[in-house]
Amino acid sequence: MITPLFKFGYFGDEFSLIVAVLIGIGFGFFLERAGFGSSTKLAAQFYFYDMTVLKVMFTAIVTAMVGLLYFGWLGILDLTLVTVNQTYLVSQIVGGLILGVGFVIGGYCPGTSVVACATGKKDAMVFLLGVVFGIFVFGELNLLFEPLMELSAMGRVLLPDVLHLSYGLVVLLVVLMAVGAFTLAEYVEKKLALKKEK
């Protein structure tokens, strides 16, 4: 048996929805257990005194990259069938900045606001209403944004292709980058903790 299971027809549309719900619940559970249902903890990332978000997200990225690489090498996963979103550089940078500003102001990203809502946090419910309103406005004004969305369309872009390096070397470089980021994050956290104690 080889993955992705859905694309090889091992199960149908209905079961794929059940799988998606189960994965979503599992993802939400682990986000909550990591403390990401708290806007205080999430916002602390931007003030550098609690870098848990960076550590957890970078760990997830590295784990997924290493897993995909080895599953591909072992023939368990056909990497050519893994969905990769198209790259629209300008619109994705603009969207990322808008999301970042909303994250700093509200203390949540869309995913963590759902997690916090599930635990009954009222600020997350207000935040999520704002997310839904934003989606509605974007949907209604979609035609106005189309020129921006189509700007700098680059198709399917992968780091190994851009950097002209092998998949394995790119994964190794990202792992080293993560180790460096974790070390720096620990150093900054300790420095700020000492400063706070004085």
Side-chain angles (χ1 to χ4, degrees):
M1 183 179 289
I2 189 167
T3 55
L5 299 176
F6 177 70
K7 286 188 178 176
F8 278 102
Y10 290 112
F11 51 77
D13 291 340
E14 293 81 10
F15 190 71
S16 70
L17 292 174
I18 295 171
V19 171
V21 169
L22 292 175
I23 290 173
I25 291 171
F27 184 59
F29 173 78
F30 286 110
L31 282 179
E32 169 59 26
R33 298 310 302 158
F36 290 179
S38 163
S39 60
T40 307
K41 190 171 189 69
L42 293 168
Q45 173 68 43
F46 299 104
Y47 301 97
F48 304 115
Y49 61 82
D50 186 340
M51 308 287 274
T52 305
V53 175
L54 172 82
K55 294 172 194 170
V56 170
M57 290 303 177
F58 225 150
T59 300
I61 290 168
V62 167
T63 303
M65 285 187 82
V66 172
L68 287 172
L69 179 72
Y70 279 99
F71 283 161
W73 277 350
L74 293 170
I76 298 170
L77 175 70
D78 186 345
L79 288 174
T80 62
L81 293 178
V82 174
T83 301
V84 177
N85 287 337
Q86 304 287 312
T87 297
Y88 300 90
L89 200 58
V90 173
S91 55
Q92 286 170 338
I93 288 173
V94 172
L97 289 172
I98 293 171
L99 182 107
V101 170
F103 200 158
V104 173
I105 294 172
Y108 295 105
C109 71
T112 53
S113 69
V114 174
V115 171
C117 274
T119 58
K121 293 202 169 64
K122 291 177 184 171
D123 61 335
M125 293 175 190
V126 174
F127 185 92
L128 193 55
L129 280 175
V131 170
V132 172
F133 178 72
I135 291 170
F136 173 76
V137 171
F138 181 80
E140 290 300 310
L141 303 176
N142 189 34
L143 289 178
L144 291 176
F145 295 120
E146 265 194 1
L148 174 65
M149 290 163 57
E150 294 299 327
L151 195 63
S152 71
M154 298 170 66
R156 186 177 190 261
V157 177
L158 300 175
L159 276 179
D161 300 333
V162 174
L163 300 174
H164 303 292
L165 299 173
S166 68
Y167 279 82
L169 184 54
V170 169
V171 170
L172 175 63
L173 292 174
V174 173
V175 170
L176 293 175
M177 194 188 305
V179 172
F182 295 159
T183 306
L184 181 62
E186 291 286 330
Y187 173 77
V188 171
E189 281 178 337
K190 285 177 184 169
K191 290 288 280 184
L192 290 179
L194 286 173
K195 192 176 176 183
K196 200 174 177 181
E197 286 175 5
K198 290 179 181 175

